[in-house]
Amino acid sequence: MAIRTRPAHRGGVRRAWTGALAAVTLVSTALTGPAVAASTASGGHQATQRQLDAAVGNGVPGALARVTDHDGVWNGAAGVADRTTGRERLPQDRYRVASITKTFVATVLLQLEAEGRLDLDDTVESWLPGVVRGNGHDGRTVSVRRLLNHTSGIFNYNSDPEFRQKVAGDGFLTHRYDTWRPEQLIALAMTHPPYFAPGSGFHYSNTNYILAGMIVERVTGRPYGTEIERRILRPLGLRATSAPGTDVRMPRPSGRAYSKLLSPDPAAEIHDVTELNPTVAGASGSMISDSADLQRFYRALLRGELLPAEQLGAMMDTVGMGTGVPAAYGYGLGLLRQELPCGVEIWGHSGDTRGSVSAVAMTRDGRYAIAFNFNADWAGDTGKVVEAEFCG
């Protein structure tokens, strides 16, 4: 899920499952329609519903959660999906899942390894000659494995200040429909020095997964989105999940997505950012899904339905996440592990993009899971929601 050891960036690392990794400033916002929906939780989900209500009370227009446990399925919601119409959030609403995309991409690469078509220890240079070069970057020293677990040291293109303002700040309104080629995003990253020598540290970088998507295409001859659909979405029947390519629209049903475009001012204007060209995130965070599909995917993954035991073991072989990050957290190959304060171990990922913050977490056996979404990017605490559900 949302993780970082250096300044935050868009695309999935501003927020963690708990406040140990990233603090979220909570602000109040006047909304059209009811600010907080009446609590519908019962039994063990009351704490979760309270956190959804609290997120809306602190500025999120609408929050949505789905829990699966031994009692079945519980759906919780607060606030609105649309500030103009006042339409409430629905359990089947689709949303941009941002960096949750990384788990799908990593799964495809691990399937390719299981088929003998690549090796995790192959260098990036061997698949993408000359692509990772410049300012100390060298693809000959970076393995596919180091891309997937963020130990490559490659600079995160989202952290380029000018680019960040263009795609997430004031420039978003002008550039929201721009198409970005993976080569452009990699070239931007190469204008900055690496964070460290490959394998000597951890730094979450979306550039790693742009490269991973390019390797999928080089190995298979098909775009990463096509391979995800062919290998994961169709076999599992995930009809609400898609890799939208350049399509700026959201499929129905879905609500709206809202952003203050990086403004620190609590009174800043709220913009509808629902439409955007997802190539700005590409293989690092472009996908759309709903809560039921996310749970189905991660459950199938953790139960070995998508990967042989060897590749699943590699995916779940976690590394530490840097200075200042508690040992309770570990990052595998597109998969985050955390031991909660109450002792429960959970696996999953989160995502953060313009107007949408999402998370999915479940126990190792897949029997107890939560997936949820906030339709705003300036408020809300995903960690509190997760802890409320699993720890009460």
Side-chain angles (χ1 to χ4, degrees):
M1 276 200 162
I3 52 179
R4 68 183 176 100
T5 59
R6 301 197 183 205
H9 65 280
R10 288 286 169 196
V13 299
R14 282 188 60 210
R15 295 170 177 83
W17 279 332
T18 74
L21 298 185
V24 179
T25 301
L26 302 178
V27 294
S28 60
T29 304
L31 302 176
T32 301
V36 180
S39 175
T40 59
S42 61
H45 307 299
Q46 290 180 347
T48 303
Q49 181 66 51
R50 285 194 294 269
Q51 289 302 324
L52 299 180
D53 294 341
V56 172
N58 284 300
V60 175
L64 179 69
R66 183 183 196 267
V67 175
T68 303
D69 61 13
H70 63 278
D71 290 325
V73 175
W74 172 82
N75 288 292
V80 295
D82 189 318
R83 298 174 71 242
T84 300
T85 66
R87 196 267 270 179
E88 295 181 353
R89 300 210 67 176
L90 303 174
Q92 63 270 32
D93 275 350
R94 303 179 187 186
Y95 45 83
R96 299 189 189 278
V97 302
S99 281
I100 293 173
T101 302
K102 291 178 172 66
T103 313
F104 288 87
V105 173
T107 300
V108 169
L109 278 171
L110 286 163
Q111 288 179 340
L112 292 172
E113 189 199 45
E115 295 164 8
R117 302 175 70 178
L118 61 77
D119 191 287
L120 288 178
D121 294 320
D122 289 346
T123 66
V124 173
E125 180 74 11
S126 68
W127 288 106
L128 305 172
V131 173
V132 179
R133 293 285 178 88
N135 284 305
H137 291 287
D138 186 348
R140 295 171 297 183
T141 63
V142 178
S143 66
V144 175
R145 189 189 310 272
R146 287 173 176 170
L147 294 179
L148 299 184
N149 67 9
H150 298 294
T151 61
S152 71
I154 295 174
F155 184 82
N156 175 34
Y157 73 91
N158 293 80
S159 293
D160 179 88
E162 183 177 347
F163 178 82
R164 181 172 168 78
Q165 283 300 320
K166 180 181 290 186
V167 302
D170 293 340
F172 171 84
L173 299 176
T174 301
H175 296 282
R176 67 193 300 169
Y177 300 120
D178 292 357
T179 295
W180 297 87
R181 293 180 294 105
E183 294 81 4
Q184 288 178 281
L185 304 177
I186 300 303
L188 176 60
M190 295 301 104
T191 66
H192 298 268
Y195 297 115
F196 45 75
S200 65
F202 176 94
H203 195 293
Y204 192 101
S205 174
N206 286 312
T207 311
N208 289 324
Y209 276 79
I210 298 296
L211 290 163
M214 293 172 69
I215 292 173
V216 168
E217 182 166 359
R218 185 62 57 90
V219 174
T220 66
R222 292 179 287 268
Y224 74 91
T226 300
E227 286 300 297
I228 289 173
E229 181 178 2
R230 189 172 73 89
R231 293 169 171 269
I232 301 174
L233 306 187
R234 290 178 186 171
L236 293 182
L238 305 183
R239 295 181 178 84
T241 306
S242 61
T246 60
D247 193 340
V248 304
R249 301 164 298 175
M250 284 292 296
R252 296 181 179 179
S254 62
R256 312 301 294 176
Y258 300 100
S259 178
K260 293 187 178 182
L261 303 181
L262 304 182
S263 174
D265 182 1
E269 181 181 358
I270 297 173
H271 299 272
D272 186 320
V273 296
T274 307
E275 290 192 353
L276 59 85
N277 190 318
T279 59
V280 70
S284 76
S286 67
M287 292 181 68
I288 294 168
S289 190
D290 70 3
S291 297
D293 270 15
L294 290 179
Q295 290 184 359
R296 174 71 180 109
F297 166 59
Y298 279 91
R299 185 177 299 111
L301 178 63
L302 293 176
R303 291 180 174 177
E305 297 176 25
L306 295 172
L307 294 172
E310 180 181 351
Q311 280 69 38
L312 181 57
M315 182 178 241
M316 301 182 74
D317 184 12
T318 62
V319 298
M321 294 166 59
T323 304
V325 180
Y329 294 88
Y331 200 93
L333 306 183
L335 193 63
L336 178 68
R337 175 195 58 79
Q338 181 190 355
E339 183 176 339
L340 294 169
C342 59
V344 176
E345 181 184 77
I346 54 174
W347 295 82
H349 214 287
S350 72
D352 176 1
T353 189
R354 264 67 66 197
S356 182
V357 176
S358 309
V360 56
M362 66 177 54
T363 53
R364 174 64 181 84
D365 61 9
R367 294 180 180 179
Y368 191 3
I370 184 171
F372 60 97
N373 173 260
F374 300 152
N375 61 0
D377 58 23
W378 70 90
D381 188 329
T382 59
K384 289 184 177 179
V385 177
V386 171
E387 284 197 22
E389 181 55 45
F390 289 100
C391 298

